[in-house]
Amino acid sequence: MPLNLPDFETLKHYLEPVFYLTDPERRVFVGYLLVSLVLAIVILSRQSAPFLPTVKQIFNPRLWRHPSVLLDIKLISVNHLFWIFMLAPFFGSQIATAIATKRVLVDLFGRGDFLTWSTLHVSLLYTAVLFVADDFARFFTHLCYHKIPLLWRFHAVHHSATILTPLTLYRVHIVEVILNAMRSIFVAGVIGGIFIWLFTGKIAPLEILGVSIFSLMFNLAGANLRHSPIWLGYGKVEKWVLSPAQHQIHHSANPAHFDKNFGVMIALWDRIFGTWVASEQTQVNAFGLSENAEVKQTLRHHLTGL
Ligand SMILES: [Zn+2]
Ligand SMILES: [Zn+2]
C-alpha cells in the first residue's frame, strides 16, 4: 500500500513550536524578538560593559549549545508531542465552560441580556476584565507552584535553568502545561460566560493582528528579556507593571530573592501579597535553584520533576 507523505498543514501541526516564530500570539514571535534585541542593544550601549563582546555573546553558538538551553529545547519538543498525542483530546474549548457558566447564572439570577451597550464598549470592558482576571489567575497559580511542595517539584523544572533565553518560557514540566491550560480555559470560559449572560450581542476582545492589545503591549515592552541576562527595569513604573529585570530576580539563585515577583504584568498582586521586589539597587549574579548545587541538565533528570 503506498504511503502518503504528510501535507504542509500536518507537518506544521507536528512541528508547531518552530512556527511559534511566525505567530504574533506567541511571545517568541520574530517581531517581538527583534524588538527585544533592539532594546538589549540600547541597554548594552548605555552600560560601561564592552558592547561588541556582549552582543557577540548573545549569538555565541556555545551559549546555544549549553546543556541548560538544550534542555529547554528538549522540553519544548517532548511537551508538544505529549500535548498533541495524549492531552489535546481531553481539553474542551472554553466555549463549553462559558455555556456552563451562563447556565448557572440563568438558574441563579434568571435570564440576563439586560445590558445593551455598544459593541465597542462591551469589547473594551471584556478585554480589560479578561486581562485582569487572567493576570491574577497566573499570579495565584504561580504562588501555589512555589508554596505547595508537590507543585514546586514540577515548577522547579522552570527554575533549574542556569542560562535564561527567550525559549526558557517554554521550559516547563508537562504537569504545569496541563494545569496552565486548565487555568486559561477556566478563566476565559467563566469571564466569557458572565459577559454572554450580561450583554446582548457579540462579545469579542479588542485585538490587533489577532492579538489582545495587552499582550501586544507586553511583548513590545521587551517581554522576551524576562528570560535573558539583559537587565531591563522600568524604574518607578515597576510599582504597577512588572519589568523583565523583576522576573530575572524571580529566577535568581540567591536565597534572598526566592519567592519574589510572582506576577506577569500587574505588579499589584505581588505588592498585596508582600512578594514585590524592585529592580533598582538589586543585582542578580546567577540564575538557578541554588548558588552552590549543580542540577543535572538532562531530560531524564527532569521528567518526573525535581
Ligand atoms: Zn516561579
Ligand atoms: Zn520564568
Side-chain angles (χ1 to χ4, degrees):
M1 209 172 100
L3 282 173
N4 289 327
L5 284 170
D7 58 26
F8 179 70
E9 281 309 311
T10 314
L11 260 177
K12 201 176 160 187
H13 183 54
Y14 293 132
L15 300 174
E16 201 185 326
V18 177
F19 291 93
Y20 288 175
L21 291 166
T22 57
D23 181 357
E25 282 190 68
R26 300 283 177 174
R27 196 189 295 175
V28 290
F29 169 58
V30 72
Y32 306 143
L33 286 171
L34 280 174
V35 169
S36 292
L37 181 66
V38 170
L39 282 170
I41 290 170
V42 171
I43 292 163
L44 290 171
S45 61
R46 291 173 66 183
Q47 288 173 350
S48 51
F51 176 65
L52 260 182
T54 321
V55 173
K56 270 185 188 163
Q57 212 181 330
I58 297 175
F59 293 101
N60 186 344
R62 284 228 317 263
L63 175 119
W64 295 93
R65 283 200 303 264
H66 187 281
S68 177
V69 180
L70 290 178
L71 182 58
D72 293 2
I73 296 166
K74 284 175 198 164
L75 277 164
I76 294 167
S77 317
V78 168
N79 285 348
H80 179 63
L81 291 176
F82 248 119
W83 183 260
I84 59 172
F85 286 111
M86 315 270 295
L87 301 169
F90 296 102
F91 282 86
S93 72
Q94 66 206 44
I95 295 165
T97 315
I99 292 167
T101 305
K102 189 194 172 184
R103 199 170 296 153
V104 169
L105 289 169
V106 170
D107 288 346
L108 288 174
F109 307 109
R111 199 172 161 268
D113 297 348
F114 39 76
L115 295 174
T116 35
W117 289 15
S118 74
T119 311
L120 178 66
H121 287 134
V122 175
S123 292
L124 268 171
L125 186 68
Y126 173 63
T127 309
V129 170
L130 186 60
F131 162 68
V132 174
D134 187 59
D135 196 80
F136 176 73
R138 283 169 193 263
F139 165 85
F140 191 71
T141 43
H142 195 179
L143 183 82
C144 294
Y145 288 148
H146 279 251
K147 299 293 181 188
I148 300 171
L150 178 66
L151 294 182
W152 168 250
R153 183 190 171 115
F154 301 114
H155 184 60
V157 169
H158 183 62
H159 281 271
S160 68
T162 51
I163 305 273
L164 299 188
T165 79
L167 297 179
T168 312
L169 171 69
Y170 303 105
R171 179 196 174 109
V172 281
H173 193 274
I174 192 72
V175 169
E176 193 174 328
V177 173
I178 295 168
L179 293 174
N180 290 346
M182 287 164 70
R183 180 205 62 214
S184 295
I185 290 168
F186 177 77
V187 173
V190 168
I191 301 295
I194 294 170
F195 271 76
I196 295 167
W197 177 70
L198 276 175
F199 297 98
T200 48
K202 212 170 149 234
I203 313 289
L206 280 185
E207 292 179 335
I208 297 169
L209 298 169
V211 186
S212 149
I213 43 170
F214 291 106
S215 284
L216 195 70
M217 286 189 317
F218 177 65
N219 287 318
L220 292 178
N224 278 299
L225 298 181
R226 289 163 64 97
H227 296 113
S228 86
I230 310 293
W231 190 257
L232 172 61
Y234 291 162
K236 298 275 174 280
V237 179
E238 284 181 355
K239 273 192 153 188
W240 305 104
V241 181
L242 292 171
S243 70
Q246 284 178 292
H247 191 67
Q248 290 171 23
I249 294 169
H250 181 72
H251 276 272
S252 170
N254 179 350
H257 297 150
F258 289 176
D259 294 350
K260 301 287 187 242
N261 298 341
F262 290 115
V264 183
M265 282 184 252
I266 300 173
L268 195 64
W269 321 127
D270 275 299
R271 282 167 59 201
I272 292 170
F273 282 74
T275 53
W276 182 85
V277 169
S279 70
E280 271 176 344
Q281 276 125 39
T282 311
Q283 208 183 329
V284 172
N285 299 320
F287 300 122
L289 289 170
S290 145
E291 280 172 329
N292 312 313
E294 266 282 310
V295 175
K296 267 195 205 160
Q297 299 287 343
T298 62
L299 189 60
R300 222 182 97 210
H301 193 63
H302 283 72
L303 272 184
T304 50
L306 290 171

